[in-house]
Amino acid sequence: MPHSRLNNYLQTERLRSGFSQRELAELLGVSKSALTKAEGTGPPSRKLLVMTEMVFGSSQRELYPDLYAQLERRLLVRALTMDDRLIGTDNPVARRKRAFLGELIKRANAN
């Protein structure tokens, strides 16, 4: 999956804020090479994902819409598969699981 949205966002926000790569890396608590890679073509680390959300004040859904949508689709498929397996199982635990999965599926479909 291309990371161009993240790469562009990081570089744009860094420059808008007046930080060098070294300074932003220090602020984010990552190495300069990790930031350089993320601004280039490399995938960001989890730490970088969380820290950019904290520093720039945008949700991960806003910052990384392609990645978020891809993961949400995968989650929806797994939730539907689990729900299908539980159909016909009539016990309190299965009902609780199906209720939870139903809410998860509704949220994913709403997006």
Side-chain angles (χ1 to χ4, degrees):
M1 181 188 126
H3 301 284
S4 59
R5 168 94 168 114
L6 169 63
N7 309 136
N8 204 8
Y9 180 83
L10 277 177
Q11 187 175 36
T12 299
E13 288 301 303
R14 176 178 61 78
L15 294 172
R16 185 185 61 75
S17 302
F19 287 103
S20 68
Q21 280 188 328
R22 184 171 308 285
E23 291 167 331
L24 184 57
E26 180 182 345
L27 180 63
L28 295 173
V30 299
S31 68
K32 181 182 177 287
S33 63
L35 183 60
T36 300
K37 181 180 172 185
E39 282 189 0
T41 58
S45 67
R46 283 184 281 176
K47 180 178 181 177
L48 190 60
L49 290 172
V50 172
M51 293 302 294
T52 54
E53 180 179 359
M54 293 169 68
V55 168
F56 297 119
S58 298
S59 73
Q60 288 188 24
R61 180 186 292 273
E62 294 169 312
L63 295 174
Y64 320 109
D66 296 338
L67 176 61
Y68 202 96
Q70 178 187 28
L71 295 174
E72 194 169 53
R73 280 191 301 275
R74 290 179 185 173
L75 178 63
L76 179 60
V77 167
R78 290 191 300 270
L80 289 166
T81 301
M82 289 180 80
D83 189 58
D84 283 347
R85 281 198 311 252
L86 290 168
I87 292 174
T89 306
D90 191 29
N91 65 56
V93 173
R95 284 193 296 272
R96 191 167 53 239
K97 288 176 187 176
R98 289 205 64 217
F100 181 86
L101 291 168
E103 289 301 314
L104 181 61
I105 291 164
K106 276 188 215 173
R107 285 195 317 263
N109 282 326
N111 298 319

